[in-house]
Amino acid sequence: MTGSQALTGSAKQTVRRSVRAVGRLTHEARMVPDFLIVGAQRGGTTSLFRYLRAHPAVLRDRMDKGVHYFDMAYERGFPWYRAHFPLKATARLVERRVGVRPQTFEASPFYMFHPLAPERIARDLPGVKLIVMVRDPVERAFSAHAQEVRRGFESEPFERALELEEERLDGEIAKMVADPSYLSFAVQHHAYRARGRYAEQLERLEGLVGRERIHVIDNQDLATSPESVYDGVLTFLGLPGGQYPAFERHNAAPRASKLSDAVRRELSDYFLPEDERLAGWLGKPPSWR
């Protein structure tokens, strides 16, 4: 990192701290999220986030894609969370311009998998709508591993990381439930198979908020029919249609290696009953099946 890059990073952190401080002082005058993108990690959430923030009636979190309040920062309290969002006065000005009540949101893809986040969301944001993105869990796991390697959170090759997953996660969820302040590195960074068990996560969300407040998007559909998927999201949120955003892929990264056929088959077999359970929830098979 060059000196100018370090300075830029430091300046950004200073700006963030200043914005948060002002936000906390004015939190009661700020919006709360109307909807959240809650997962899945490496499922296309960054692309969808950018498509939605381009809508004239959508106001985003002021600094970041995801606040990670309900998973990583819950002890900071709701005023801290609310400090991230636009002022109600800003929303009123936008409403006069666009003719509909603006909505605000954030996207934190750990929310759906985190053992405590869904219940916290249901309790603190009554009426919030949830958007879930699903992707071929084999590809999702491989992509997640590549990301953790890039970020320095994983040192094992993919096959070995899969072998270690059960051992790494053993008892971690129980610790998080027993001690809400406990942050599990393994659950956040090494749950390659577990995060791809979508049906159990959707069933848990449904039990907390109801199916009518959950909208599921297949990543492949977003890639091949973005206009149709985008229209469906706007209908779910009660937002008007209009000009489409630029449907570009975001947060994609080149792979340093190729997934072997043997590992692909093993994972595909592992996820088969999980995908059948997902098909039952969705009422149709996911695209990868």
Side-chain angles (χ1 to χ4, degrees):
M1 178 182 290
T2 66
S4 60
Q5 287 173 325
L7 180 61
T8 300
S10 177
K12 287 180 179 178
Q13 289 301 317
T14 300
V15 170
R16 281 189 170 90
R17 284 193 293 270
S18 298
V19 169
R20 301 305 183 223
V22 172
R24 282 193 292 273
L25 292 173
T26 58
H27 70 92
E28 292 183 347
R30 295 187 176 276
M31 301 173 71
V32 295
D34 299 274
F35 65 97
L36 302 173
I37 301 174
V38 296
Q41 178 207 41
R42 303 306 297 168
T45 59
T46 299
S47 294
L48 183 63
F49 169 81
R50 295 192 180 185
Y51 302 160
L52 287 171
R53 76 175 183 182
H55 192 284
V58 172
L59 306 178
R60 58 166 290 192
D61 159 44
R62 296 181 303 146
M63 293 294 293
D64 303 298
K65 168 192 166 188
V67 181
H68 287 284
Y69 170 63
F70 293 104
D71 51 15
M72 306 293 289
Y74 196 64
E75 75 285 352
R76 291 176 180 261
F78 199 70
W80 178 88
Y81 182 55
R82 198 167 175 177
H84 291 70
F85 296 99
L87 290 164
K88 294 177 183 177
T90 301
R92 289 193 290 270
L93 291 174
V94 173
E95 184 172 2
R96 295 192 193 106
R97 186 175 73 246
V98 302
V100 296
R101 186 185 72 82
Q103 299 186 28
T104 191
F105 79 115
E106 56 130 337
S108 296
F110 193 21
Y111 284 167
M112 183 170 77
F113 182 65
H114 191 279
L116 300 176
E119 184 177 356
R120 291 167 173 172
I121 290 168
R123 181 174 59 245
D124 293 353
L125 296 176
V128 74
K129 294 182 177 181
L130 306 179
I131 298 176
V132 173
M133 297 202 64
V134 294
R135 177 187 182 183
D136 178 346
V138 177
E139 290 294 333
R140 195 222 67 81
F142 191 49
S143 177
H145 175 267
Q147 175 176 268
E148 301 302 343
V149 170
R150 287 194 303 273
R151 292 178 172 177
F153 299 139
E154 178 62 87
S155 59
E156 299 288 351
F158 186 51
E159 291 184 46
R160 179 57 179 158
L162 291 174
E163 293 172 356
L164 290 171
E165 180 173 348
E166 185 175 352
E167 177 184 339
R168 284 169 158 179
L169 297 185
D170 184 37
E172 290 296 288
I173 294 292
K175 290 179 183 178
M176 296 173 76
V177 172
D179 179 5
S181 66
Y182 177 65
L183 303 178
S184 172
F185 184 87
V187 169
Q188 184 178 3
H189 298 291
H190 296 153
Y192 304 114
R193 282 190 176 94
R195 285 201 190 214
R197 297 197 291 264
Y198 304 129
E200 64 186 41
Q201 298 167 62
L202 286 168
E203 289 164 0
R204 180 169 59 137
L205 289 175
E206 180 183 2
L208 290 166
V209 306
R211 184 179 291 240
E212 69 281 357
R213 283 165 52 194
I214 303 171
H215 185 72
V216 180
I217 299 169
D218 190 314
N219 174 277
Q220 183 63 22
D221 293 339
L222 183 63
T224 58
S225 304
E227 294 86 358
S228 176
V229 170
Y230 185 74
D231 288 341
V233 173
L234 296 187
T235 298
F236 171 67
L237 297 176
L239 290 170
Q243 185 175 355
Y244 291 116
F247 291 118
E248 301 171 344
R249 288 184 64 194
H250 298 279
N251 205 28
R255 301 281 179 82
S257 60
K258 182 181 178 182
L259 181 60
S260 73
D261 291 340
V263 174
R264 183 181 297 277
R265 283 193 300 270
E266 186 273 324
L267 284 176
S268 182
D269 290 345
Y270 170 84
F271 283 117
L272 178 58
E274 305 294 335
D275 292 342
E276 290 175 344
R277 184 175 170 185
L278 175 63
W281 197 94
L282 295 173
K284 63 178 182 179
S287 63
W288 56 91
R289 290 293 179 180

